[in-house]
Amino acid sequence: MARRWTPVHGTVCECEDFDAEVDAKAVYNAMKGLGTDEQTIYGILARRSYAQRQEIAEVYKTCHGSDIVEDISSEISGTLEMVLHALLTPPALYDARELNWAMAGAGTNESCLIEILATRTNEQIKALVEAYETEFEEKLEEKIDSDIDGNLQRFLIALLQGNRDEDGDVDMDKVEDDARALLSASELKWGTDETEFISVLCLRNDRHLWRVFDEYKEISGKDIEETIADEMSGTLEEAMLAVVKSIKKTPAYFARKIREAIQGVGTDERTLLRIIVCRSEIDLQTIKEVFEEEYEESLRSVIEGDVGGDFLSTLLLLCGEE
């Protein structure tokens, strides 16, 4: 059965009475002299859209001859510094830096790579690829190739091409072909042909894939997620499920990621921050609604139970919670 597009809403929008010069001056004065007025800084930046924050940064440098990010780093540290940097970093560069962080050092944070590459549009992927090469003087594909191996490597590199059809057309003959191809590559085969899954999941548009998932269940009697869980394992399973779940209902995917970030011992503050910042102007309001529906508690109450201080206050502002 065809699904309707889920209406999505962000929590951060453009400030109507915005004045970049007034904001830049207020941020500067909050860091001038002894002590720092952190509340003024995050109170301004968390209530402005990304485009408006960029205007503030430009006016700040023009009026005061210094970089707003560098000045913030000289006055503020810890998680508050991290969230303020995220707010002032261009989205593509922020994604690029997060990907680089995920592959730095001895280990690799595959979950971060999966979350970003599985949920960005073609345009966003191409922009982050360019930003990565400019920032780190290395091709992102080559970095992933050297850091990841096996089928996960192939899947992530396929996603990295940003070649998914985005025109929204649905060809029912192709839908049936794709569903049967996935069934032949899994349930009807000894072993699994991961290549078929990679091809379909990385090339087809969302509406087409919705139909494929319905057709697959019709002919196999199983949800596609169930088949992936049965046929795949480890991070490849995680990556393919991320694509399927984000296509079926993107806000639900991110609600689940937030839930995972705050469960267990310690809080994954970096993931929590990344999702809230990146989705604040896209669908964070919808994520909040889905979160409460799925887990029977508000996102606010969960965040308040896991983080505190100015970091908490900034995240709540970004979530539209005054």
Side-chain angles (χ1 to χ4, degrees):
M1 180 181 296
R3 298 169 176 80
R4 293 182 179 178
W5 290 102
T6 302
V8 293
H9 306 283
T11 52
V12 173
C13 57
E14 291 191 348
C15 175
E16 292 184 1
D17 57 349
F18 174 65
D19 187 319
E21 187 174 349
V22 170
D23 285 346
K25 184 176 181 179
V27 171
Y28 178 79
N29 288 336
M31 295 186 285
K32 185 179 178 181
L34 295 176
T36 302
D37 181 359
E38 292 90 349
Q39 186 173 355
T40 292
I41 298 171
Y42 67 71
I44 291 172
L45 297 180
R47 291 188 175 96
R48 305 294 185 265
S49 68
Y50 164 71
Q52 290 175 331
R53 293 183 210 119
Q54 291 303 294
E55 285 189 55
I56 292 170
E58 292 172 5
V59 172
Y60 186 98
K61 180 172 283 189
T62 300
C63 292
H64 307 294
S66 59
D67 184 86
I68 190 172
V69 174
E70 293 177 0
D71 285 355
I72 285 173
S73 291
S74 69
E75 298 288 334
I76 298 172
S77 60
T79 51
L80 180 58
E81 177 191 11
M82 188 165 65
V83 67
L84 295 178
H85 277 201
L87 292 175
L88 289 162
T89 302
L93 180 56
Y94 181 55
D95 277 346
R97 287 176 175 171
E98 288 296 283
L99 292 173
N100 186 68
W101 167 82
M103 294 183 284
T108 300
N109 188 317
E110 289 94 348
S111 291
C112 176
L113 299 178
I114 291 166
E115 174 207 313
I116 292 174
L117 296 180
T119 60
R120 301 308 191 251
T121 65
N122 290 346
E123 182 180 359
Q124 289 171 327
I125 286 177
K126 292 180 187 303
L128 73 85
V129 166
E130 183 178 347
Y132 189 95
E133 185 171 354
T134 300
E135 178 82 353
F136 301 106
E137 298 181 343
E138 180 180 12
K139 291 186 180 298
L140 180 54
E141 182 173 326
E142 292 176 358
K143 179 62 176 175
I144 291 176
D145 187 58
S146 65
D147 228 62
I148 311 288
D149 56 23
N151 286 316
L152 178 62
Q153 175 203 81
R154 295 168 58 216
F155 191 45
L156 293 180
I157 288 178
L159 290 172
L160 196 63
Q161 305 313 303
N163 284 330
R164 184 187 303 282
D165 169 29
E166 293 183 336
D167 63 14
D169 291 342
V170 176
D171 180 332
M172 287 309 299
D173 289 335
K174 187 176 289 187
V175 164
E176 294 176 9
D177 289 344
D178 283 345
R180 294 189 182 282
L182 293 179
L183 183 61
S184 297
S186 54
E187 301 290 339
L188 302 183
K189 183 180 178 63
W190 179 259
T192 307
D193 182 2
E194 293 87 355
T195 301
E196 195 66 54
F197 279 80
I198 293 172
S199 176
V200 172
L201 292 178
C202 293
L203 286 176
R204 306 295 188 248
N205 69 60
D206 290 3
R207 288 179 181 270
H208 178 94
L209 286 172
W210 284 349
R211 295 278 195 167
V212 171
F213 300 153
D214 285 338
E215 179 68 17
Y216 183 88
K217 185 171 184 178
E218 184 71 23
I219 63 177
S220 71
K222 296 175 69 174
D223 285 327
I224 191 68
E225 293 103 316
E226 187 180 353
T227 291
I228 290 173
D230 289 343
E231 298 287 330
M232 318 290 178
S233 63
T235 50
L236 178 63
E237 175 189 347
E238 179 186 348
M240 290 198 173
L241 286 177
V243 171
V244 171
K245 291 179 183 298
S246 66
I247 285 171
K248 282 190 168 184
K249 194 173 184 181
T250 304
Y253 169 75
F254 281 112
R256 186 178 299 107
K257 291 294 293 183
I258 290 174
R259 181 76 170 181
E260 292 171 356
I262 56 185
Q263 282 184 322
V265 179
T267 300
D268 183 353
E269 294 171 335
R270 192 170 194 125
T271 296
L272 178 62
L273 160 64
R274 182 173 60 248
I275 293 173
I276 288 176
V277 169
C278 290
R279 309 307 296 188
S280 61
E281 293 186 54
I282 303 172
D283 56 2
L284 187 53
Q285 180 60 41
T286 311
I287 291 170
K288 287 169 55 181
E289 294 166 4
V290 170
F291 189 97
E292 186 161 2
E293 180 182 323
E294 291 284 329
Y295 305 111
E296 299 182 342
E297 55 185 335
S298 69
L299 180 56
R300 176 178 188 140
S301 66
V302 171
I303 294 175
E304 285 179 329
D306 278 74
V307 300
D310 292 329
F311 181 57
L312 168 63
S313 298
T314 310
L315 293 185
L316 291 179
L317 285 177
L318 290 169
C319 288
E321 306 279 351
E322 294 296 329

